[in-house]
Amino acid sequence: MASTTRRKRLALFTVCCCILGTGIIGLWAVRDYLINRPIVLEEAFPHGEIRIGVDASFPPFAVDDGTSLWGLDIDLGEAIAADIGLPVRFVNMGFDGLYDAVIADQVDMVISALRVDLSRTADIRYSHHYYDAGLV
């Protein structure tokens, strides 16, 4: 009798593990979908344009000459917007306010010479660097 009860418990334990395992796999599949799902432009850029924060006091990357913005960062932002197919609006601000502008939803992205700050990775996503100035 003890061996029959033990087999039933083992069978029940196995079934429960399979059900829990399927649930965990299901949760991972949902998590994977949410992370890797296709980006919908209306979600990523709800204002109908790409708002890019720049510090236009750092030639040759971004310069404000009083009438327009120009530089490598500006060209990169315009190329990204053209590739996505949305208009672009550059928001010139001080370097120390760039992170806060993203967090406060004043801009959608920042193109600037920001260093990766590991303490901000929960709030900010970084791209690969687009310019390597070498050893400084």
Side-chain angles (χ1 to χ4, degrees):
M1 280 291 222
S3 63
T4 305
T5 305
R6 181 174 286 166
R7 271 190 252 141
K8 286 181 182 179
R9 286 183 184 167
L10 183 59
L12 180 61
F13 177 76
T14 304
V15 169
C16 288
C17 286
C18 289
I19 291 171
L20 287 175
T22 304
I24 291 170
I25 292 168
L27 289 175
W28 278 106
V30 168
R31 178 186 169 276
D32 190 51
Y33 169 76
L34 290 175
I35 290 173
N36 297 315
R37 71 186 168 103
I39 296 173
V40 179
L41 283 180
E42 291 78 21
E43 287 180 25
F45 306 106
H47 302 282
E49 65 183 359
I50 301 174
R51 303 169 303 157
I52 300 176
V54 294
D55 173 17
S57 65
F58 194 57
F61 295 96
V63 178
D64 184 0
D65 62 9
T67 58
S68 64
L69 294 172
W70 57 271
L72 296 172
D73 293 347
I74 306 304
D75 293 342
L76 178 61
E78 288 173 347
I80 290 170
D83 190 47
I84 292 174
L86 287 175
V88 63
R89 179 169 53 98
F90 292 96
V91 180
N92 185 11
M93 62 186 59
F95 185 79
D96 58 345
L98 292 173
Y99 278 118
D100 294 332
V102 172
I103 294 170
D105 194 33
Q106 294 172 348
V107 296
D108 300 311
M109 68 174 67
V110 168
I111 299 178
S112 186
L114 289 174
R115 298 188 62 179
V116 174
D117 183 353
L118 296 177
S119 68
R120 294 187 180 265
T121 55
D123 300 320
I124 302 291
R125 293 184 184 171
Y126 293 93
S127 69
H128 295 285
H129 64 275
Y130 56 92
Y131 182 80
D132 186 358
L135 185 61
V136 177

